[in-house]
């Protein structure tokens, strides 16, 4: 199993540009998440999904959009990039079923995004 | 509402010394508690978790944590630090809800030779 994979690893965007951060998991997990990590701030939840076709906002959703057309993929879209979106973005997944391990999250390696 | 505080954004220990990373939480119901580790330029990896079974939880790489309800704490310890333990450590809490895991701000651990 590859686990959770993210592309690209690094990206530099100009203000106002758009891009999609890709996330794929091969563990057949129901739940998927997008976080951003800023220095000294821990992780903030952007969006999450409890299954294909279902998404919901997290703590900091403004400026982002998501979709979940399959169990495996959960892309994050930035429409009009702003300097405040400079961050490291992590995708994660979890089984989302009752029982041991249900609440564990498995993280991808992250995408380092700079907006200038 | 859930919240997590980690005392000390940076902790330095000598190689072979005790590691103690502090985590306190607030929760209105019995929580699930986690410690994750993040090595440089990598994603987070689960170290250990508390899910209402034994209060002393053993994890990977010799780490353990004790759930103390009266103190609302879940401190992480390791008897003897190794150079490879240098990383960022995050405490997290969930109120038995798959979609609401709250992460603390993290503690950066340095190990001095």
């Amino acid at each position: 199993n590859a686990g959770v994979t993210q592309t690209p690893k690094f990206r530099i965007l100009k203000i106002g540009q758009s891009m999609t951060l890709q996330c794929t998991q091969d563990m057949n997990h129901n739940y998927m998440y997008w976080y951003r990590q800023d220095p000294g701030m821990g992780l903030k939840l952007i969006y999450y999904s409890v299954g294909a076709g279902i998404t919901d906002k997290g703590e900091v959703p403004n400026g982002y959009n998501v979709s979940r057309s399959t169990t495996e993929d959960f892309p994050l879209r930035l429409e009009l990039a702003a300097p405040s979106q400079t961050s490291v973005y992590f995708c994660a997944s979890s089984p989302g079923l009752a029982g041991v391990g249900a609440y564990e999250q498995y993280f991808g390696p992250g995408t380092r995004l700079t907006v200038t | 509402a859930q919240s997590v505080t980690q005392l000390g954004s940076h902790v330095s220990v000598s190689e072979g010394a005790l590691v103690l990373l502090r985590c306190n939480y607030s929760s209105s119901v019995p929580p699930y508690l986690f410690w994750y580790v993040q090595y440089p330029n990598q994603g987070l990896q689960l170290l250990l978790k508390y899910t209402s079974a034994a209060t002393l939880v053993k994890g990977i790489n010799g780490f353990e944590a004790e759930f103390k309800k009266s103190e609302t704490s879940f401190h992480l310890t390791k008897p003897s630090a190794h150079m490879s333990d240098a990383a960022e450590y995050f405490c997290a809490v969930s109120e038995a809800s798959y979609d609401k895991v709250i992460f603390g701000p993290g503690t950066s651990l340095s190990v001095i030779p």
Side-chain angles (χ1 to χ4, degrees), chain A residues 33 37 48 103-105, chain B residues 32 36 38 49 90 98-99:
Chain A
Y33 314 81
Q37 183 181 31
Y48 67 97
Y103 308 103
E104 296 175 29
Q105 296 193 13
Chain B
Y32 287 68
Y36 285 84
Q38 184 182 29
K49 63 183 179 185
F90 293 92
Y98 309 125
D99 57 348

Side-chain angles (χ1 to χ4, degrees), chain A residues 5-115:
Chain A
T5 56
Q6 293 183 238
T7 57
K9 284 186 167 49
F10 305 93
R11 184 72 185 267
I12 298 174
L13 279 183
K14 294 189 185 305
I15 295 171
Q17 286 186 321
S18 302
M19 79 164 293
T20 298
L21 282 65
Q22 301 292 346
C23 175
T24 300
Q25 54 93 8
D26 63 358
M27 297 173 282
N28 201 33
H29 284 171
N30 293 306
Y31 280 65
M32 295 187 74
Y33 314 81
W34 274 107
Y35 294 92
R36 58 177 289 171
Q37 183 181 31
D38 301 310
M41 300 296 290
L43 279 78
K44 302 291 185 185
L45 182 64
I46 304 171
Y47 272 95
Y48 67 97
S49 169
V50 303
I54 306 170
T55 63
D56 208 346
K57 296 177 181 178
E59 187 180 358
V60 290
N62 291 345
Y64 307 95
N65 277 301
V66 293
S67 60
R68 183 106 181 261
S69 57
T70 67
T71 299
E72 295 79 19
D73 300 307
F74 190 41
L76 177 72
R77 178 86 178 160
L78 282 70
E79 290 295 348
L80 291 171
S84 61
Q85 293 178 305
T86 294
S87 189
V88 181
Y89 291 84
F90 289 100
C91 179
S93 71
S94 70
L97 297 172
V100 175
Y103 308 103
E104 296 175 29
Q105 296 193 13
Y106 297 76
F107 284 80
T111 294
R112 198 170 293 270
L113 176 68
T114 301
V115 182

Side-chain angles (χ1 to χ4, degrees), chain B residues 9-46:
Chain B
S9 59
H10 187 85
V11 171
S12 290
V13 300
S14 297
E15 190 174 17
L18 172 71
V19 176
L20 170 60
L21 304 182
R22 299 178 187 274
C23 172
N24 289 88
Y25 69 92
S26 67
S27 175
S28 57
V29 299
Y32 287 68
L33 294 159
F34 308 85
W35 276 99
Y36 285 84
V37 60
Q38 184 182 29
Y39 298 105
N41 300 314
Q42 295 186 27
L44 279 68
Q45 176 185 348
L46 184 68

Side-chain angles (χ1 to χ4, degrees), chain B residues 80-92:
Chain B
S80 177
H82 192 273
M83 296 298 293
S84 61
D85 294 327
E88 189 90 15
Y89 291 80
F90 293 92
C91 183

Side-chain angles (χ1 to χ4, degrees), chain B:
Chain B
Q2 304 171 85
S3 68
V4 178
T5 56
Q6 292 183 241
L7 186 62
S9 59
H10 187 85
V11 171
S12 290
V13 300
S14 297
E15 190 174 17
L18 172 71
V19 176
L20 170 60
L21 304 182
R22 299 178 187 274
C23 172
N24 289 88
Y25 69 92
S26 67
S27 175
S28 57
V29 299
Y32 287 68
L33 294 159
F34 308 85
W35 276 99
Y36 285 84
V37 60
Q38 184 182 29
Y39 298 105
N41 300 314
Q42 295 186 27
L44 279 68
Q45 176 185 348
L46 184 68
L47 262 182
L48 50 79
K49 63 183 179 185
Y50 166 76
T51 56
S52 75
T55 56
L56 183 62
V57 181
K58 294 189 184 300
I60 61 172
N61 301 337
F63 284 93
E64 62 183 34
E66 186 172 8
F67 171 66
K68 290 188 177 180
K69 183 178 178 181
S70 61
E71 298 177 7
T72 60
S73 68
F74 191 56
H75 302 331
L76 182 71
T77 60
K78 182 174 180 179
S80 177
H82 192 273
M83 296 298 293
S84 61
D85 294 327
E88 189 90 15
Y89 291 80
F90 293 92
C91 183
V93 61
S94 173
E95 291 181 348
S97 171
Y98 309 125
D99 57 348
K100 293 205 170 36
V101 176
I102 304 298
F103 286 85
T107 296
S108 176
L109 176 67
S110 298
V111 182
I112 304 164

